[in-house]
Amino acid sequence: MIWVLVAFGGAFGALSRWLATVILPDHRSGFPLPITLVNILGAFALGVAVGLDRAGALPVNLLPLTTGALGGYTTFSTWMVDVDTAGSGLLRAGIAVVPAVAGIAAAALGLLLGSSVV
């Protein structure tokens, strides 16, 4: 039965990502702001969930949220294609580095917040 919940979570996450790219501004700068923000927010949310789980605050199976919803919401492959199609130079480096550094920081902050709840 868990696979059904993971599937629904994945569908919800993918639709949420699509909605974010529709709503969030893309200023045609060449920098993929919507996908970057989605990935950073997803890293933070995953950090919170894992932190809460480690603290024993979540007595439920996290797979529908983590693998399902957050896995469908975030997108490593789109980020990599954005890097590959950015050409060369500073923009390409920014698209490669900014989401990685910000995502790791967001995940660490989420872990810290999630594990300090209890």
Side-chain angles (χ1 to χ4, degrees):
M1 182 61 176
I2 193 72
W3 66 270
V4 173
L5 297 175
V6 171
F8 277 114
F12 175 78
L15 287 171
S16 298
R17 177 179 67 227
W18 171 78
L19 187 60
T21 61
V22 169
I23 292 173
L24 293 173
D26 187 354
H27 297 292
R28 306 287 182 237
S29 66
F31 190 86
L33 183 62
I35 292 300
T36 300
L37 292 176
V38 159
N39 286 335
I40 293 168
L41 181 59
F44 175 76
L46 183 59
V48 170
V50 170
L52 288 169
D53 187 54
R54 286 182 181 173
L58 293 177
V60 297
N61 189 321
L62 287 182
L63 288 177
L65 172 65
T66 57
T67 301
L70 293 175
Y73 181 64
T74 59
T75 173
F76 184 81
S77 57
T78 300
W79 173 31
M80 294 300 100
V81 169
D82 287 340
V83 170
D84 192 48
T85 58
S88 60
L90 191 56
L91 178 62
R92 186 175 193 173
I95 293 171
V97 173
V98 168
V101 172
I104 291 168
L109 179 61
L111 277 166
L112 181 67
L113 290 174
S115 40
S116 67
V117 166
V118 175

